[in-house]
Structures are given as C-alpha cells and as structure tokens.
Amino acid sequence: MDLECMEMEKLGEVCREWGIFRLVNHGIPLSLLSQLEDHAKRLFGLPFESKEAIFTTPVSYFWGTPALTKSGVALSQTSQNVNWVEGFNVPLSQLPLLQTQDPIIDSFRLILEEYGRHLSRIARTLFNAMAKNLGHDPKQCESSLDESSGIVRVYRYPLRPNRDHASHMEVHTDSSVLSILNQDEVGGLEVLKDGEWLSASPISNTLVINVGDMMQVISNDEYKSVIHRVKVAKERERLSICYFVFPEENTIIKSSKYRPFSYNDFRSQVQEDIKALGHKVGLERFKVNNDSD
C-alpha cells in the first residue's frame, strides 16, 4: 500500500483477506530509521545488569517474554515457555520523563520522540481510511485510536542456542488497533494464511502494518487480526522495532459479535490468562454467547 496514494478498495481487501500489508512512501526518513537501529544495537550491547539498571522507568528493559504489564514489567513465564528475545518497552507519551546524563541514551530518547511522531501520523491516517472503508465516521470513532497510548518496542533476537523449549516469539495476535513494524534485513516474521506459514521477507524502506485484535472488533470481524510468529535462523541476530497503538482505555467498544468491553477490560483478561494458562486467549473471551470466562 502507498500512503501517499491510498487505494481504498485495495486497503479493504488486504485487511479482510490478510490482516497485514506492506506500506511504502510512509514519510519516515531512512536516516532516522538507521540512527534508531544503530542506537538500539549499542544499547543492547551493554551488559545485562546495565540494561536492567539503566532502563527502569519510563522506558523498561525486558527479556524472555513480550508479555508485559501496563507499566512495562514482564509477566512471569515458565521455563517451557521462554521466548528468545530481549527488548526495550517505550511508552511514547512518557519519554520526556527519561532524564539522563548519558549522551547515548539522551540521543536515543530524541530519536524515539521523532520516530513516534511519524508513527502517530501514519497510524491515524491508516485508521481513518479503514474507518471510512467500514462506513464509520472517523470523527465519531476518534477514541477508538488514542495516539497517547502508543508504545514502541525495540526487540533483539539473539543467536539462539540449541534449546527445544525456546522460541524467538511464539504464535500470537497483537492486542492493538494497529501495529507498525520496521524489521532489519534478517527477517523472520511469519504469517499464518489458510493454514500455511508464509514468510514476510524484509524489503528496505518498507513498513509492515498488522491489523490487531481491537481493529477486528471495531470492524465487527470484517478485518482480521493477523496470526503471526517470529522464527530466525540460528546463525543470525535480528533487530525489529514495532509500534503499537490502542483505543482510549475506558472507551466501550461495541460489536454484534462481542459483548461490550473496554481495552482496559481486555488487557486485564489477557494478563490473567497468561498468568493462569501460560498463554493469551484473546478475543474468544469476549465473544457473544461464549462461556469460557
């Protein structure tokens, strides 16, 4: 899809059939993406103890799981359910609170702030186009996408040892309205389509847009929240940067397929399920006439 020349019919088709698409002419300078990746690699190169000590609030460091609480604390995982990943969780609206004397970290903050402004613009443009395609008035569903909720997660997938119970990132859907991914040349993202896993190979200066769970509900199941995972070749490390944006926390989302709920309700249920079951159940918990809860 071309952000500068959006084909509305094609946009609706890919959201219905795939739930994922590539975006070109997104307006983010290549130099900014390069600077962000370079800073991330330098910070990931720090000792484990340094990363844990430096990044506590508002930016947090996590490893072993992408499942985090609202404050960025990793939810506990069993040794049988380890994801071979580490990362930084960045709530964009709180970035000004990251005060440091370290020039590298301060530069990282400034780059993230600029990157976040671009992502907010892209997310709002895409959401408004999707809303129009669905017959919604974008102004009436502004609270369904709250730019202040935007977070960036910077992921590093290290070289993986021979451990059968460690995956790079397990099969999942995103809880967001939209997710916007920038992946390096290593790749590893795989998408489930008609029962078959397909590789979403990286293309330079192209973003990958995922439809998330909240967009599936907003569309009344017309659009798909894409099922995906990450599998990286053992001999390569992977770096990816993903932006997630959500509805306003307490806005009630209504759909004929689901009982009314807020994103806050959904997030709480997901975290309860991960703690109790070791995995996310997701939208099935909120389906009409579903007794699973």
Side-chain angles (χ1 to χ4, degrees), residues 134-176:
L134 292 166
H136 299 170
D137 182 346
K139 288 190 176 180
Q140 291 185 354
C141 53
E142 279 189 354
S143 63
S144 296
L145 185 132
D146 178 15
E147 287 100 326
S148 70
S149 72
I151 62 172
V152 167
R153 287 189 184 162
V154 185
Y155 298 104
R156 172 180 172 257
Y157 300 85
L159 294 177
R160 178 181 166 183
N162 293 321
R163 295 175 60 189
D164 292 338
H165 60 273
S167 61
H168 281 103
M169 193 174 291
E170 60 195 1
V171 178
H172 67 288
T173 60
D174 293 342
S175 296
S176 56

Side-chain angles (χ1 to χ4, degrees), residues 262-277:
S262 67
Y263 176 68
N264 197 35
D265 297 330
F266 184 82
R267 178 177 56 206
S268 297
Q269 183 65 61
V270 167
Q271 293 185 1
E272 285 180 25
D273 286 334
I274 291 173
K275 290 176 182 177
L277 306 174

Side-chain angles (χ1 to χ4, degrees), residues 28-219:
I28 304 177
L30 266 175
S31 58
L32 181 63
L33 294 172
S34 178
Q35 288 176 51
L36 184 52
E37 289 182 3
D38 288 346
H39 277 68
K41 288 175 182 177
R42 292 180 69 174
L43 293 170
F44 279 129
L46 295 172
F48 174 78
E49 295 80 9
S50 298
K51 287 178 282 195
E52 280 205 316
I54 293 171
F55 295 102
T56 54
T57 182
V59 177
S60 58
Y61 170 74
F62 62 91
W63 64 275
T65 175
L68 310 179
T69 67
K70 180 182 177 181
S71 60
V73 176
L75 294 172
S76 60
Q77 299 278 285
T78 66
S79 59
Q80 285 75 37
N81 196 26
V82 174
N83 290 261
W84 205 246
V85 63
E86 66 173 341
F88 301 117
N89 182 69
V90 183
L92 292 170
S93 65
Q94 298 178 42
L95 262 180
L97 301 177
L98 181 62
Q99 299 298 321
T100 175
Q101 301 300 315
D102 187 310
I104 298 299
I105 297 175
D106 193 53
S107 179
F108 188 51
R109 174 184 63 81
L110 293 172
I111 293 168
L112 281 166
E113 286 180 340
E114 183 179 352
Y115 188 60
R117 287 191 288 271
H118 283 287
L119 295 169
S120 177
R121 166 184 57 80
I122 293 168
R124 176 57 68 182
T125 301
L126 290 173
F127 178 77
N128 286 349
M130 291 176 185
K132 288 178 182 177
N133 260 351
L134 292 166
H136 299 170
D137 182 346
K139 288 190 176 180
Q140 291 185 354
C141 53
E142 279 189 354
S143 63
S144 296
L145 185 132
D146 178 15
E147 287 100 326
S148 70
S149 72
I151 62 172
V152 167
R153 287 189 184 162
V154 185
Y155 298 104
R156 172 180 172 257
Y157 300 85
L159 294 177
R160 178 181 166 183
N162 293 321
R163 295 175 60 189
D164 292 338
H165 60 273
S167 61
H168 281 103
M169 193 174 291
E170 60 195 1
V171 178
H172 67 288
T173 60
D174 293 342
S175 296
S176 56
V177 177
L178 296 172
S179 306
I180 303 176
L181 173 69
N182 172 41
Q183 57 177 339
D184 66 11
E185 74 283 356
V186 174
L189 175 65
E190 295 185 350
V191 177
L192 187 64
K193 171 67 172 171
D194 299 328
E196 183 179 354
W197 286 104
L198 305 175
S199 175
S201 301
I203 297 176
S204 178
N205 201 25
T206 301
L207 301 174
V208 175
I209 312 299
N210 287 3
V211 171
D213 295 341
M214 297 301 99
M215 193 69 220
Q216 179 170 324
V217 178
I218 292 166
S219 73

Side-chain angles (χ1 to χ4, degrees), residues 3 57 168 227-228 240 259:
L3 191 65
T57 182
H168 281 103
I227 299 171
H228 56 289
S240 68
R259 54 186 172 84

